[in-house]
Amino acid sequence: MSYAFDPSPLVSLPITNQAHRFPVHRVYCVGRNYAEHAKEMGFTGREPPFFFLKPADALVVVPTDQTGTMPYPPLTQDLHHEVELVVAIGQGGRDIPVDQALSHVYGYAVGLDMTRRDLQAEMKKQGRPWCIGKAFDHSAPIGPIVQASQLAGITQAEIKLEVNGITRQHSQINKLIWNIPETIAHLSRAWTLMPGDLIFTGTPEGVGAVVPGDEMTAHITGLPSLRIAIAA
Ligand code: MN
């Protein structure tokens, strides 16, 4: 096989305590999956989950104990942080039942669904796709994966984001509107899940803007923290 030019490199994530890496297929994201965040965005009540995607090469992979950097993206005056639990799929499938969903999970990571909120709001107003607000380059900083088998009690974990040491978002994974198995079940009815898929499961309340020079630290109990600065 020969190509007209070099193909893009495969995106992969480190796995804690493993020599091999997790090769990424797709990056799915769940919208409005914590009640208090849905409220702050102007919505109430439980609605069916909805999804959007980011390209795999939008991931900014930050190894444990390092501080990553992302550039401040173009076209926006309102870059928002959204800290999220990321589910890494190890076994694919479609129409996965809720009671079997966790057997498809390889592990978990801490991620940030960075959002050009002003562009997203404009697209919402016009009824157009969110891509420009959500799926831009460097829009998905992420830390290493911890295997599910090495992680007890993710559903009871706390989720927190600090900006320059000040807490902005703080909640619990058990406040997800659609929990992890339900999210996998819903998603696998719309797409065939594949090994290597990532699912950003939604953000709790407290989203807000960051500016060049800010440093974000994202924590989920049991996972390595994710530290990343916005390039000045
Ligand atoms: Mn999000």
Side-chain angles (χ1 to χ4, degrees), residues 29-32 37 52 82 84 113 115 134 200-203:
C29 303
V30 186
R32 294 196 290 267
H37 172 62
F52 57 93
E82 296 191 356
E84 309 201 359
D113 167 17
T115 302
K134 286 289 194 180
F200 281 62
T201 54
T203 196

Side-chain angles (χ1 to χ4, degrees), residues 74 83 87 91 104 121 135 139 163 174 178 205 221 230:
V83 63
V87 176
Q91 185 195 328
H104 293 258
S139 60
V163 178
N174 65 13
W178 297 94
E205 68 276 17
T221 314
I230 310 292

Side-chain angles (χ1 to χ4, degrees), residues 30-45 47 50 52 78-84 113-125 130 133-134 169 177 202-209:
V30 186
R32 294 196 290 267
N33 204 16
Y34 288 81
E36 292 302 317
H37 172 62
K39 274 187 211 164
E40 76 183 350
M41 299 304 288
F43 297 85
T44 54
E47 55 182 347
F50 67 91
F52 57 93
D78 198 21
L79 176 66
H80 274 206
H81 54 75
E82 296 191 356
V83 63
E84 309 201 359
D113 167 17
M114 299 304 293
T115 302
R116 294 192 283 207
R117 193 71 74 199
D118 44 358
L119 298 185
Q120 183 200 26
E122 183 62 25
M123 292 301 112
K124 277 185 189 173
K125 200 165 69 185
W130 290 9
K134 286 289 194 180
Q169 296 186 264
I177 295 173
T203 196
E205 68 276 17
V207 300

Side-chain angles (χ1 to χ4, degrees), residues 83-85 157-160 169-173 204 219-220:
V83 63
E84 309 201 359
L85 172 67
E158 291 197 31
I159 180 169
K160 187 163 90 156
Q169 296 186 264
H170 191 190
S171 187
Q172 288 87 38
I173 298 301
H219 308 271
I220 294 175

Side-chain angles (χ1 to χ4, degrees), residues 92-115:
R94 49 183 296 199
D95 299 326
I96 297 168
V98 168
D99 64 3
Q100 288 171 30
L102 289 181
S103 70
H104 293 258
V105 175
Y106 181 87
Y108 300 95
V110 180
L112 287 166
D113 167 17
M114 299 304 293
T115 302

